[in-house]
Amino acid sequence: MQLIESIAELRRARAALTGSVGFVPTMGALHRGHLELVHRAASEQQHVVASIFVNPTQFGANEDFARYPRDLARDLAALADTRVSLVFVPPVTEMYPADATTRIDVGPIAERLEGAHRPGHFTGVATVVAKLCHIVTPDALYLGQKDVQQTLVIRRMVRDLDLPVRVVVCPTVREPDGLALSSRNAYLSPAERALAPALFAALDAVARCFAAGEHDADTLRELIRQRLAASPALVVDYISVADPVALRELDGLVEHAVVSLAATIGRTRLIDNIVLGTP
Ligand code: PAF
């Protein structure tokens, strides 16, 4: 596994890879969810490239960029047991020279839900993922379903900009109690961690209700609201039942929807989602 910090060197090493390349972009603090992406890429492609870059442009002024968990040695040790051949770990100045001003605006889908609570977040995500795709030129890009809006924003960008890459979305990896794996789970105190499975429990209750025949969007939202209200320490940002392409809120009876939510426990904001029905 080769550790590379410069764009020029990454391009040289990438050009030497023959056969298909899968790319797993990350911000480090790797957990089993990331490693699942790497394993899936390795099972489908001849080579795997990963990146570790805490992207400043996707963090708001009051967000956790400075305290985001960083442990490169630990991340490299985790990747050493995988089939990753190149790990791209650029410094911020390599990705964003001081005079770089271009940004990618994906439009309304990037302004809903997470975008409404984190203005500019998806502009930062889209910009860095587009840059990384231009640098790595992968055949396929591997993303986790946990960040469902991110996957839809990136799919939209890839389609609108005709980027020659296939987007592969892999299932959310969960703890045994249902909590979706996230690098930010590390911020939770033991008491907060004990509350966190309430998010998935509410989503799971909705999935069971939907399977039992309840398809009314408002009723499904209300069910989540009531479930989460049972944990007053959990402050809900949004509960959404939305169409699975543009993430517009749905009314009436739904056959296929993304149910997503965001809530804050203490100082930690958690998100999760499930998909109901089949397209
Ligand atoms: O999901 C993440 O870790 C980041 O948003 C990504 C896709 C690596 C872009 O910085």
Side-chain angles (χ1 to χ4, degrees):
M1 187 173 78
Q2 209 182 330
L3 177 68
I4 298 179
E5 293 188 3
S6 86
I7 294 172
E9 200 191 329
L10 193 285
R11 286 194 202 278
R12 273 194 296 277
R14 163 66 180 97
L17 299 177
T18 50
S20 64
V21 170
F23 175 46
V24 181
T26 82
M27 298 206 298
L30 301 183
H31 50 64
R32 277 188 296 121
H34 296 111
L35 297 179
E36 283 299 315
L37 302 181
V38 168
H39 293 315
R40 172 83 176 267
S43 73
E44 294 181 352
Q45 313 294 337
Q46 279 151 296
H47 304 279
V48 183
V49 176
S51 62
I52 298 174
F53 178 64
V54 185
N55 173 36
T57 65
Q58 69 188 76
F59 289 80
N62 299 321
E63 294 185 9
D64 56 345
F65 175 69
R67 70 179 184 120
Y68 195 84
R70 292 164 172 86
D71 189 341
L72 184 58
R74 189 182 152 278
D75 289 343
L76 295 178
L79 293 177
D81 290 336
T82 70
R83 264 196 42 218
V84 167
S85 28
L86 310 178
V87 192
F88 185 41
V89 189
V92 171
T93 47
E94 182 75 359
M95 291 299 283
Y96 298 110
D99 58 352
T101 53
T102 305
R103 296 284 184 270
I104 295 182
D105 174 358
V106 184
I109 190 174
E111 285 154 22
R112 307 190 170 113
L113 304 177
E114 285 303 290
H117 287 264
R118 306 181 66 189
H121 169 66
F122 288 118
T123 300
V125 170
T127 303
V128 80
V129 172
K131 283 170 69 74
L132 289 166
C133 283
H134 282 300
I135 296 165
V136 177
T137 62
D139 296 280
L141 174 66
Y142 291 82
L143 300 170
Q145 169 71 21
K146 190 201 139 244
D147 296 304
V148 64
Q149 189 171 5
Q150 170 168 280
T151 69
L152 296 172
V153 166
I154 291 173
R155 272 194 199 287
R156 178 65 61 108
M157 173 187 74
V158 163
R159 195 204 65 180
D160 289 355
L161 298 183
D162 306 303
L163 299 186
V165 65
R166 192 163 61 86
V167 178
V168 181
V169 178
C170 303
T172 302
V173 179
R174 299 182 180 279
E175 299 284 7
D177 61 10
L179 177 64
L181 294 197
S182 162
S183 305
R184 290 189 168 99
N185 292 351
Y187 299 152
L188 297 168
S189 70
E192 292 165 349
R193 172 64 187 80
L195 285 177
L199 271 68
F200 180 66
L203 293 171
D204 194 42
V206 157
R208 281 186 277 113
C209 212
F210 184 82
E214 179 54 80
H215 286 205
D216 180 66
D218 280 338
T219 308
L220 298 173
R221 279 185 206 97
E222 179 57 19
L223 176 66
I224 299 186
R225 200 192 59 72
Q226 281 175 14
R227 293 286 299 226
L228 296 182
S231 309
L234 217 143
V235 180
V236 176
D237 276 351
Y238 62 77
I239 295 167
S240 163
V241 177
D243 85 80
V245 175
L247 283 183
R248 281 192 208 91
E249 287 307 306
L250 295 170
D251 290 323
L253 296 181
V254 301
E255 288 309 323
H256 187 212
V258 174
V259 182
S260 58
L261 55 83
T264 304
I265 308 180
R267 288 175 63 206
T268 307
R269 193 162 175 283
L270 300 175
I271 59 173
D272 203 349
N273 71 87
I274 54 166
V275 177
L276 296 180
T278 43

